[in-house]
Amino acid sequence: MSKNYNEEFRRNAVALYRDTDGATIAGIATDLGISHGSLTAWLKNAGVAIRKPGTTAVARPGPDETPEQEAARLRAEVANLRAEKTKLETERDILRSAAKYFAGGDELVTRFQFVADHSDTYPVKRLCQVIDIARSSYYAWINAAGNRAARADSDAELAAKIRAIHDQDNTCGRPRITAEINDGQPAGQRVNHKRIARIMRENNIEGFRLRRRHRTTVAEPADTPSPDLVRRDFTASEPNTKYVGDITYLPCGDGEFLYLATVIDCFSRRLVGWSIADHMRTELVGDALGAAALTRGSLAGAVFHSDHGSQYAAKDFAALCTNLGVTQSMGAVGTSADNALAESFNATLKRETLQGTARWESPRAARLAVFRWVTRYNTRRRHSYCDYLSPADYESVHTTDNLAHAA
């Protein structure tokens, strides 16, 4: 690879040869990482006599050294000191430049880039020696520049796709974004989740995270509790067989609250019934279960699991369950883990809709936000439990598979 060396570099090379005792063109050229012919041409242009290999500039001191020999020896020593001074000054200048260059971080790739950026001013060999990298590694890095550029372009394209997904729903984290990008892609074109995580980290893209706790369960010891038929097993082999439900508060306006009751299918995590009101009376949970019955057509034979809140323990709600053919189930008193699926749903809804704010500006705004999120949750939001399909798509795939097996 040809190089255009500046005048200062040429002068230093000539001085290094001229002032170094016993130096040869081959030795200096190798040390500086330049060609034999280039150094020869620079010496001729500077009018410096070229010594024969093996000769020295001066004689060594001896016991009978004459004044002329002493003067010659001292001149040679001065020349050597000047050459060493030139070498040290060159290293000093390189290190000064490196100190400024590495201010943002002294990584190996940064060192390679420093050598590339300064190779027209200093020889590559000297640069690599001073900043302590192997020349072979540097040249390997140079030769891989094309591949690095292609990877950078590919990462930029993927970052744009990730940002577009995140802009539509800023609650999406790495798992759901990975599922969205790989949706419909053949196995050989799927993007590894670690790469997506790296690009999200490099571009400061992350899903919204927030955890909040609030108790809305008020036990009603007067009524007879139902047994726990779920026992923290929030799975089901078929849709419309096992449900969980809960009540959560929705803060809004100036100290106002709405309340949301839910009915969630354990098979797909689909919200099949829900109701919002400004109270927590029994009709709130009754309306939610009634909405679920309309969605499914029938709930006969299904189990509905809840906590021991007074609304779920009420006789009117028990009568509604009996009329719909639903068997009630309740977890232990004061144990949120016994209804973890419903509580997790509530936490996700508020985290992704409120996104850290304390409350909605009005009850109407709260109703609209919940309606918008619930609709998207069922039909578009990818769920980790559903193999990163939406609950509706997960049920659709299951129904299609069952029909195929029956045929």
Side-chain angles (χ1 to χ4, degrees), residues 1-5 9 32-36 38 42 115-120 122-124 135 138-145:
M1 182 184 298
S2 61
K3 292 286 186 180
N4 293 321
Y5 296 97
F9 177 83
L32 296 180
I34 60 178
S35 69
H36 183 282
S38 295
W42 299 345
V115 174
D117 291 346
H118 292 80
S119 59
D120 288 339
Y122 307 102
V124 169
R135 271 190 297 167
Y138 165 73
Y139 285 119
W141 180 80
I142 287 291
N143 293 333

Side-chain angles (χ1 to χ4, degrees), residues 337-371:
D338 284 355
N339 201 22
L341 173 55
E343 298 219 8
S344 175
F345 174 90
N346 293 337
T348 299
L349 181 151
K350 286 194 279 189
R351 182 178 66 245
E352 295 189 0
T353 52
L354 283 172
Q355 298 196 9
T357 59
R359 57 184 61 246
W360 288 279
E361 63 181 15
S362 67
R364 181 175 182 276
R367 288 178 182 272
L368 289 176
V370 171
F371 176 76

Side-chain angles (χ1 to χ4, degrees), residues 169 171-173 176 179-180 208 268-269 344-345 347-349 351-352 372-386 388-394:
D169 181 3
T171 65
C172 285
R176 283 197 281 151
E180 185 72 26
F208 186 84
S268 62
R269 276 37 180 178
S344 175
F345 174 90
T348 299
L349 181 151
R351 182 178 66 245
E352 295 189 0
R372 184 183 301 110
W373 186 88
V374 163
T375 302
R376 191 179 188 281
Y377 169 86
N378 278 335
T379 60
R380 294 191 57 192
R381 185 185 183 279
R382 297 179 184 273
H383 201 298
S384 58
Y385 180 82
C386 301
Y388 287 101
L389 296 173
S390 69
D393 287 343
Y394 187 74

Side-chain angles (χ1 to χ4, degrees), residues 141-295:
W141 180 80
I142 287 291
N143 293 333
N147 292 335
R148 286 199 305 278
R151 285 196 299 270
D153 290 342
S154 178
D155 283 355
E157 181 180 353
L158 182 56
K161 293 180 181 179
I162 292 173
R163 193 171 295 282
I165 295 171
H166 190 262
D167 287 345
Q168 291 183 357
D169 181 3
N170 67 349
T171 65
C172 285
R174 186 264 306 162
R176 283 197 281 151
I177 287 179
T178 301
E180 185 72 26
I181 287 177
N182 289 330
D183 186 30
Q185 295 293 330
Q189 298 180 18
R190 295 173 68 84
V191 183
N192 185 277
H193 67 92
K194 293 181 180 179
R195 183 184 176 199
I196 290 180
R198 172 179 61 80
I199 292 177
M200 290 180 66
R201 185 169 57 251
E202 291 173 352
N203 289 270
N204 297 319
I205 302 173
E206 60 180 8
F208 186 84
R209 296 181 181 182
L210 183 66
R211 294 182 179 180
R212 289 174 179 256
R213 294 181 179 180
H214 183 80
R215 183 180 178 184
T216 54
T217 301
V218 180
E220 178 53 72
D223 292 337
T224 302
S226 300
D228 185 352
L229 304 178
V230 172
R231 297 190 178 278
R232 302 187 183 181
D233 178 12
F234 302 110
T235 63
S237 58
E238 298 285 340
N240 199 27
T241 57
K242 186 191 295 185
Y243 293 94
V244 297
D246 195 14
I247 300 174
T248 190
Y249 77 107
L250 306 174
C252 52
D254 186 15
E256 299 177 80
F257 289 93
L258 294 179
Y259 299 92
L260 169 69
T262 57
V263 179
I264 304 166
D265 194 314
C266 289
F267 172 77
S268 62
R269 276 37 180 178
R270 181 178 178 180
L271 182 67
V272 295
W274 56 285
S275 178
I276 295 179
D278 58 0
H279 61 79
M280 287 199 300
R281 295 191 294 271
T282 303
E283 52 261 40
L284 173 67
V285 296
D287 289 345
L289 190 63
L294 290 175
T295 299

